[in-house]
Amino acid sequence: HHGFSRSRNGAANMHAVVCLPAVTGAWQHPGGGALYGHSAIYPLDRTLIEGLDLEDRSVRDLDQSRLGPILTGDAVALKGGPPVTAMLVQNTNPAMVCPDLALVHAGLAREDLFTCVHEQLMTETAAFADVVLPATSFLEHDDFYTASGHTTFQVTRKLIEPPGEARENHFVICELAHRLGAEHPGFRMSAWEIMEATLRKSGMWDAQTNYDRGGQDFAPPFERMHFLDGFDTPDRKFHFSPDWKRFGGRWQEMPALPDHMDVIDSATAEKPFRLVAAPARTFLNSTFTETPSSLKRERRPTALINPADCTALGVTEGDRVRLGNQRGEVVVHVRPRDGQQRGVVVVEGL
């Protein structure tokens, strides 16, 4: 479902696809139905981890996917508040993954923005930073994990010591809290102590038991997982007509019944090509873009183009071409690829 949600018509298209097992009756069979992300099945009480007992709801909560407008002064994106002048970035690479990258880069380049990036690698975002703090890898700190593609909740222990001055997220946040004079019990606890307290409050196995047993499976019975006892709706029925209004946004434009929602850019005489920018096979995310084996395999960004389109454009393998529209542009090298649909250019991402 993550891929669906990364396009403008993601919600409508995802709904249309998950209607298929309801139409065919596939839910009743082992392996039938649709695989959703399972993060919500774990009964994890996040009060201590997120400091919900002291949460100040008057503080703005800004949308990371709107980082470009936020950092360039858009009043709506800023929710009517003052500009963002300092930023701590952990666990993400916004200079590469946030929408409207031209605005994101312009915002990150502001002289009056102080940016601290806590990172394992010199990512594009880290290159914009005033300060880069070295971060641990998952092998170098205690942690626990809510799975998405399976149903087991897992606790892990640190396996190796972190190199140099690399520190975990929890250490950086606690040190920052100490310097700011912020008070909360979590800032005086180790990561393992926070996990123990959280799991106890959540009614789950304690951390050591989970670690020793290799994880706690939270899969409900087959009948529940496959909705044979009814769906999660008030009338327990599957709804082919979704209540889009409940979720806000542009619900008036959404299809009333399962359908393709045509709100993506279509080819025009001025812009005859469609662009696919899926991740390269060995560049799933920013971590892999820095590993020697991935760099050797991928070499450089490439525009994959049908040979007939190459002939029409007068380009051959290795030529540099400029791709762009009103949103931005990029220069990449051409590689003809047989079997690719005409009018489609593939530039593998990251």
Side-chain angles (χ1 to χ4, degrees), residues 112-152:
D112 64 334
L113 175 69
F114 177 79
T115 306
C116 175
V117 176
H118 186 209
E119 216 358 307
Q120 300 155 355
L121 305 157
M122 184 53 72
T123 63
E124 293 79 7
T125 307
F128 276 104
D130 297 283
V131 175
V132 179
L133 302 177
T136 49
S137 75
F138 71 97
L139 297 170
E140 298 158 0
H141 56 245
D142 298 333
D143 211 342
F144 54 22
Y145 296 93
T146 56
S148 181
H150 60 83
T151 57
T152 302

Side-chain angles (χ1 to χ4, degrees), residues 278-341:
R281 182 176 180 182
T282 51
F283 278 2
L284 176 65
N285 61 36
S286 302
T287 303
F288 296 103
T289 66
E290 302 293 335
T291 58
S293 56
S294 293
L295 288 167
K296 182 180 178 182
R297 209 171 287 126
E298 298 297 344
R299 289 186 57 231
R300 67 186 183 192
T302 306
L304 304 172
I305 304 175
N306 180 287
D309 284 334
C310 289
T311 301
L313 291 167
V315 296
T316 58
E317 181 155 9
D319 286 352
R320 284 155 56 93
V321 292
R322 185 182 303 274
L323 311 176
N325 57 19
Q326 71 275 23
R327 298 179 184 277
E329 57 184 41
V330 64
V331 176
V332 289
H333 293 80
V334 169
R335 187 191 308 154
R337 185 162 71 169
D338 290 317
Q340 187 167 304
Q341 200 171 342

Side-chain angles (χ1 to χ4, degrees), residues 87-105:
M87 189 162 62
L88 171 63
V89 180
Q90 291 178 312
N91 300 79
T92 185
N93 184 13
M96 197 53 134
V97 302
C98 283
D100 214 338
L101 281 183
L103 276 185
V104 174
H105 290 187

Side-chain angles (χ1 to χ4, degrees), residues 136-183:
T136 49
S137 75
F138 71 97
L139 297 170
E140 298 158 0
H141 56 245
D142 298 333
D143 211 342
F144 54 22
Y145 296 93
T146 56
S148 181
H150 60 83
T151 57
T152 302
F153 181 86
Q154 293 172 295
V155 172
T156 61
R157 281 195 178 277
K158 178 172 71 174
L159 295 179
I160 56 176
E161 289 300 317
E165 294 182 283
R167 298 290 185 268
E168 63 181 325
N169 286 1
H170 180 58
F171 175 90
V172 171
I173 291 169
C174 289
E175 290 295 305
L176 188 60
H178 175 69
R179 285 158 174 75
L180 293 171
E183 287 293 330

Side-chain angles (χ1 to χ4, degrees), residues 14-344:
M14 181 178 170
H15 174 256
V17 169
V18 298
C19 285
L20 295 175
V23 171
T24 62
W27 285 113
Q28 63 192 300
H29 304 295
L35 178 65
Y36 293 92
H38 289 133
S39 300
I41 70 172
Y42 307 104
L44 201 63
D45 186 315
R46 297 175 183 267
T47 303
L48 177 59
I49 299 171
E50 300 182 6
L52 299 178
D53 52 329
L54 290 180
E55 183 181 16
D56 182 354
R57 293 188 173 273
S58 69
V59 176
R60 286 178 299 170
D61 185 1
L62 303 181
D63 183 351
Q64 179 179 304
S65 69
R66 300 273 290 149
L67 185 64
I70 287 167
L71 294 183
T72 52
D74 183 285
V76 175
L78 287 166
K79 296 188 177 178
V84 171
T85 56
M87 189 162 62
L88 171 63
V89 180
Q90 291 178 312
N91 300 79
T92 185
N93 184 13
M96 197 53 134
V97 302
C98 283
D100 214 338
L101 281 183
L103 276 185
V104 174
H105 290 187
L108 289 171
R110 277 171 39 205
E111 288 293 331
D112 64 334
L113 175 69
F114 177 79
T115 306
C116 175
V117 176
H118 186 209
E119 216 358 307
Q120 300 155 355
L121 305 157
M122 184 53 72
T123 63
E124 293 79 7
T125 307
F128 276 104
D130 297 283
V131 175
V132 179
L133 302 177
T136 49
S137 75
F138 71 97
L139 297 170
E140 298 158 0
H141 56 245
D142 298 333
D143 211 342
F144 54 22
Y145 296 93
T146 56
S148 181
H150 60 83
T151 57
T152 302
F153 181 86
Q154 293 172 295
V155 172
T156 61
R157 281 195 178 277
K158 178 172 71 174
L159 295 179
I160 56 176
E161 289 300 317
E165 294 182 283
R167 298 290 185 268
E168 63 181 325
N169 286 1
H170 180 58
F171 175 90
V172 171
I173 291 169
C174 289
E175 290 295 305
L176 188 60
H178 175 69
R179 285 158 174 75
L180 293 171
E183 287 293 330
H184 189 272
F187 297 143
R188 298 187 296 273
M189 300 168 71
S190 68
W192 191 266
E193 289 169 339
I194 286 179
M195 290 195 290
E196 284 283 26
T198 295
L199 294 171
R200 190 164 52 247
K201 191 171 183 181
S202 305
M204 300 163 70
W205 288 350
D206 65 85
Q208 190 62 46
T209 299
N210 185 299
Y211 180 75
D212 292 339
R213 297 187 184 181
Q216 184 176 4
D217 191 354
F218 281 91
F222 177 84
E223 291 75 17
R224 175 80 188 89
M225 287 287 277
H226 285 252
F227 307 112
L228 300 187
D229 54 355
F231 290 88
D232 290 333
T233 56
D235 60 8
R236 310 299 290 164
K237 295 179 180 178
F238 184 91
H239 288 210
F240 290 96
S241 180
D243 183 9
W244 295 123
K245 190 175 182 179
R246 268 182 59 208
F247 303 100
R250 298 155 56 184
W251 59 271
Q252 298 96 330
E253 304 168 45
M254 307 281 275
L257 290 169
D259 202 352
H260 171 68
M261 187 182 179
D262 191 13
V263 291
I264 58 176
D265 288 334
S266 299
T268 65
E270 184 187 348
K271 294 181 290 185
F273 289 95
R274 302 297 308 282
L275 176 67
V276 174
R281 182 176 180 182
T282 51
F283 278 2
L284 176 65
N285 61 36
S286 302
T287 303
F288 296 103
T289 66
E290 302 293 335
T291 58
S293 56
S294 293
L295 288 167
K296 182 180 178 182
R297 209 171 287 126
E298 298 297 344
R299 289 186 57 231
R300 67 186 183 192
T302 306
L304 304 172
I305 304 175
N306 180 287
D309 284 334
C310 289
T311 301
L313 291 167
V315 296
T316 58
E317 181 155 9
D319 286 352
R320 284 155 56 93
V321 292
R322 185 182 303 274
L323 311 176
N325 57 19
Q326 71 275 23
R327 298 179 184 277
E329 57 184 41
V330 64
V331 176
V332 289
H333 293 80
V334 169
R335 187 191 308 154
R337 185 162 71 169
D338 290 317
Q340 187 167 304
Q341 200 171 342
R342 287 207 65 177
V344 173

